[in-house]
Amino acid sequence: SPRKEYIKVTNTISTWEKVLLCNYYDWMDLSQDKIYTIADEYSIPNDLNDSIEWIFNTVQTPPLFHRKYQRKADSSVYKTNLRYSSDGLTVDSDAVTVSFLNDYYDITSNEGNQTLSQSVFETSGESYSPNDLTIFQQTFNLPIESAIDYNGYNTTDCYSTSGYCYEGNLDIQYISGVSQYTTSIYWYVGGDNPFLTWLIDMSAQSNPPQVNSMSWGSLESETSESTLEQFNTEAMKLGLIGVTITISSGD
């Protein structure tokens, strides 16, 4: 890594089993029908204990998510409180709009800064629709602004089996609506350890986003100690250089 906190080494499973004195097994995640290769334990020589804090991609299990929604093919209700009908696009009278948020949280201005950036964290196959973002902005008379997507998770089809957009659309629409003109980034992270990977990747940036929103969480009791401790460490390091991270209900 740029600041030399991490060393990434690639080799075969059989080699790692010899080096780390461990056995890797294929584990099935029944909640997502995915197979992960994880070790039950590992060991390193005692004289390396002071130099190595954690070895990842060993005993760490992937995050376990609660499905926050059930996708229905015939559903016409969207989390932005927009409804499609024969008369076109309408807005519920009790919709949580940018204006509502301004009143509720006493936000006096939505004018951000083009020289700054903000991001939303996404994972687990979640995409967003650039077209839906434009419709959202047009409907609520907001500036028409596109988002930057890291790793290409945008889609033109939120109804296909690969096009989950519920959380992704909600996050990118409202962060760009509340802080307008600020560069908005849709930061998708896959893999077995997306939360920690996100912070490590962000720390590697010469100019990371100043405000970052994570509307995701996993079961803490099912998360390995190494992931929890290293996530906290990376978050504190980002905080020291002026980066804000809001998580779950706090965002």
Side-chain angles (χ1 to χ4, degrees):
S1 62
R3 298 180 180 86
K4 306 186 185 305
E5 305 106 317
Y6 298 93
I7 299 174
K8 184 177 181 179
V9 183
T10 302
N11 217 315
T12 63
I13 291 293
S14 59
T15 299
W16 287 122
E17 289 180 329
K18 293 176 183 177
V19 171
L20 300 176
L21 302 177
C22 67
N23 292 308
Y24 276 88
Y25 302 95
D26 287 339
W27 300 78
M28 171 65 80
D29 181 352
L30 298 178
S31 67
Q32 303 183 65
D33 292 328
K34 291 183 179 180
I35 295 177
Y36 298 93
T37 303
I38 304 171
D40 52 355
E41 60 182 1
Y42 68 88
S43 177
I44 60 174
N46 289 333
D47 56 356
L48 293 178
N49 283 336
D50 292 336
S51 302
I52 298 176
E53 188 163 6
W54 308 108
I55 300 179
F56 290 97
N57 294 320
T58 52
V59 299
Q60 294 81 16
T61 56
L64 182 59
F65 298 114
H66 281 306
R67 281 294 180 191
K68 297 184 291 298
Y69 49 77
Q70 181 67 39
R71 198 161 64 99
K72 298 181 179 179
D74 59 349
S75 175
S76 61
V77 181
Y78 294 78
K79 293 186 75 173
T80 51
N81 293 298
L82 305 182
R83 296 177 183 269
Y84 284 99
S85 67
S86 58
D87 298 326
L89 188 64
T90 60
V91 182
D92 286 354
S93 59
D94 59 347
V96 178
T97 64
V98 172
S99 296
F100 172 86
L101 293 176
N102 289 341
D103 292 339
Y104 191 84
Y105 291 105
D106 197 23
I107 300 172
T108 58
S109 173
N110 297 120
E111 184 173 348
N113 191 318
Q114 292 179 334
T115 66
L116 303 179
S117 60
Q118 57 193 1
S119 84
V120 293
F121 163 90
E122 306 295 339
T123 189
S124 192
E126 191 77 19
S127 299
Y128 86 100
S129 167
N131 184 58
D132 285 359
L133 176 59
T134 300
I135 292 174
F136 174 83
Q137 293 165 343
Q138 291 173 336
T139 301
F140 295 111
N141 297 314
L142 306 175
I144 305 302
E145 303 171 283
S146 60
I148 298 173
D149 61 285
Y150 282 2
N151 300 320
Y153 268 74
N154 66 76
T155 183
T156 58
D157 181 11
C158 288
Y159 291 100
S160 68
T161 55
S162 61
Y164 292 108
C165 298
Y166 293 81
E167 188 67 44
N169 269 351
L170 175 69
D171 294 344
I172 196 64
Q173 289 170 7
Y174 277 88
I175 196 171
S176 61
V178 170
S179 182
Q180 300 160 17
Y181 305 111
T182 304
T183 299
S184 296
I185 300 169
Y186 189 90
W187 199 317
Y188 182 90
V189 183
D192 299 353
N193 203 335
F195 299 122
L196 179 58
T197 299
W198 176 52
L199 294 190
I200 293 174
D201 289 349
M202 196 189 309
S203 296
Q205 301 287 315
S206 59
N207 185 26
Q210 286 74 31
V211 176
N212 303 273
S213 168
M214 177 189 283
S215 290
W216 291 78
S218 63
L219 299 182
E220 187 171 339
S221 60
E222 300 295 327
T223 304
S224 64
E225 178 187 4
S226 57
T227 296
L228 290 173
E229 288 198 10
Q230 204 61 28
F231 181 94
N232 290 339
T233 298
E234 290 300 326
M236 287 187 286
K237 286 158 59 178
L238 285 166
L240 290 173
I241 61 173
V243 173
T244 297
I245 303 169
T246 59
I247 298 179
S248 296
S249 60
D251 70 353

